[in-house]
Amino acid sequence: MINNYKPDGGKTVKYNIYVNTAATLAKKAGELIRDKFGGEFTRGYKSCPSDLVTEVDRQAELLITGELSRIFPEHTIIGEEGSGQVKSSANDYTWYVDPLDGTTNFVYGIPFCSVSIGLARDGKMVVGVVYDPLHDECFSATAGGGTNLNGRPVEVDQSRRELSKALLVTGYPANKDFSHRLEGINYQQVAAGCSNLRALGSAALELAYISCGRLTGFWENTLMPWDVAAGALLVEEAGGKVTDINGEVLSLENHLSIVASNGYIHEELLKILF
Ligand code: IPD
Ligand code: CA
Ligand code: CA
């Protein structure tokens, strides 16, 4: 695969160093997660008792953000657990780090979680890495360079082109203050309109699964930039589509709503959801 990108018609900018660094750090953080999975670790909560956090989230984040700020001191780094740095330079690079996406699964011993690292340049995603440490699967993408799974190109589901055949996935906010955001959605209608519906518990990994065709469509309300930054690029570079709930360009803001799919079912999905 070619990992080059031409953002302004002419000057080729190579993203290899960024994607390789992100994959290396995601795997290092993944080792921590793998070592602690199913064992002893301290745990607590953030905004409410169901919004879980563990020592592993914090250690993994420090590992990633510490290395990113050492290697790329001029870049802005936004980490879910609060580490990072804000910088401004002529070329505006921003890293979004979710050191452990799927903390609830991790705490309950369900082997479905990931490390998510994305890089935006001037507000546009250019690198995405989502690593599943418990299955040793590394999804990576660069703008214009396609999406890989453990180094091999992948693409979105080509066989299911109608909602009735789609395997959908969604998720629910841990913080109950946002439960009202689920109200407008007719889950009975959605479940009846697709092949089946899942909620697997790691938005980043769910997006990665869309990118390689294991799932057909995904939506969730009330996510944060670090949940989706990397995964959204994986989906787009694998030939899929990512929008907000109005079918508009997704912007990486707090408490965002996202719809992602193989592209073919996107309009039908938007229509049945909102
Ligand atoms: C959560 C996961 C989950 C989604 C939640 C997120 P976290 O992230 O992505 O799938 O449904 O809304 O908060 O807290 O495990 O990093
Ligand atoms: Ca997350
Ligand atoms: Ca997290």
Side-chain angles (χ1 to χ4, degrees):
M1 299 295 291
I2 306 159
N3 281 339
N4 293 336
Y5 172 55
K6 295 179 180 172
D8 42 24
K11 196 180 162 201
T12 301
V13 178
K14 292 185 179 176
Y15 289 109
N16 296 38
I17 180 172
Y18 303 124
V19 74
N20 292 341
T21 303
T24 301
L25 294 178
K27 287 177 185 177
K28 277 193 186 163
E31 272 175 43
L32 280 178
I33 294 169
R34 209 160 36 232
D35 286 352
K36 293 282 186 172
F37 182 77
E40 293 297 313
F41 47 82
T42 58
R43 59 196 76 182
Y45 63 85
K46 296 188 280 186
S47 59
C48 65
S50 50
D51 184 9
L52 303 173
V53 65
T54 72
E55 63 175 298
V56 184
D57 297 67
R58 295 194 168 120
Q59 283 168 6
E61 178 160 309
L62 287 177
L63 186 158
I64 297 166
T65 58
E67 277 298 285
L68 285 178
S69 55
R70 188 183 64 76
I71 302 168
F72 308 114
E74 73 283 11
H75 291 185
T76 290
I77 301 164
I78 298 172
E80 174 176 12
E81 308 308 337
S83 68
Q85 58 185 24
V86 176
K87 296 281 165 103
S88 65
S89 62
N91 288 331
D92 176 23
Y93 286 93
T94 302
W95 293 91
Y96 295 95
V97 178
D98 190 335
L100 203 181
D101 187 55
T103 300
T104 301
N105 281 350
F106 179 75
V107 167
Y108 281 76
I110 297 169
F112 193 88
C113 61
S114 61
V115 180
S116 176
I117 305 177
L119 175 65
R121 185 183 184 207
D122 297 327
K124 185 182 179 307
M125 290 310 302
V126 292
V127 165
V129 169
V130 175
Y131 180 58
D132 172 351
L134 302 173
H135 300 94
D136 192 24
E137 289 195 320
C138 187
F139 298 83
S140 60
T142 54
T147 301
N148 289 343
L149 165 51
N150 287 347
R152 294 179 170 220
V154 289
E155 63 177 7
V156 293
D157 183 355
Q158 298 294 324
S159 63
R160 297 167 190 94
R161 300 187 176 202
E162 295 140 39
L163 191 65
S164 60
K165 299 198 174 112
L167 185 57
L168 301 182
V169 65
T170 187
Y172 314 103
N175 186 329
K176 305 308 168 207
D177 289 349
F178 291 98
S179 296
H180 66 279
R181 303 271 301 258
L182 304 172
E183 271 166 22
I185 296 164
N186 185 335
Y187 285 86
Q188 195 179 353
Q189 191 181 320
V190 176
C194 66
S195 174
N196 217 324
L197 178 59
R198 300 282 182 266
L200 300 175
S202 165
L205 197 50
E206 289 163 337
L207 285 164
Y209 273 31
I210 299 275
S211 78
C212 69
R214 291 175 187 163
L215 294 165
T216 329
F218 166 74
W219 87 91
E220 188 163 346
N221 284 330
T222 323
L223 287 175
M224 299 299 277
W226 46 78
D227 293 314
V228 302
L233 187 67
L234 295 178
V235 172
E236 287 181 342
E237 285 295 325
K241 189 162 181 177
V242 179
T243 66
D244 67 12
I245 58 171
N246 299 312
E248 305 293 337
V249 175
L250 180 75
S251 73
L252 290 180
E253 60 204 22
N254 290 353
H255 312 301
L256 59 86
S257 297
I258 181 173
V259 180
S261 75
N262 66 346
Y264 300 107
I265 65 151
H266 208 84
E267 290 308 314
E268 265 192 290
L269 181 56
L270 282 169
K271 230 177 259 168
I272 204 168
L273 286 174
F274 306 107

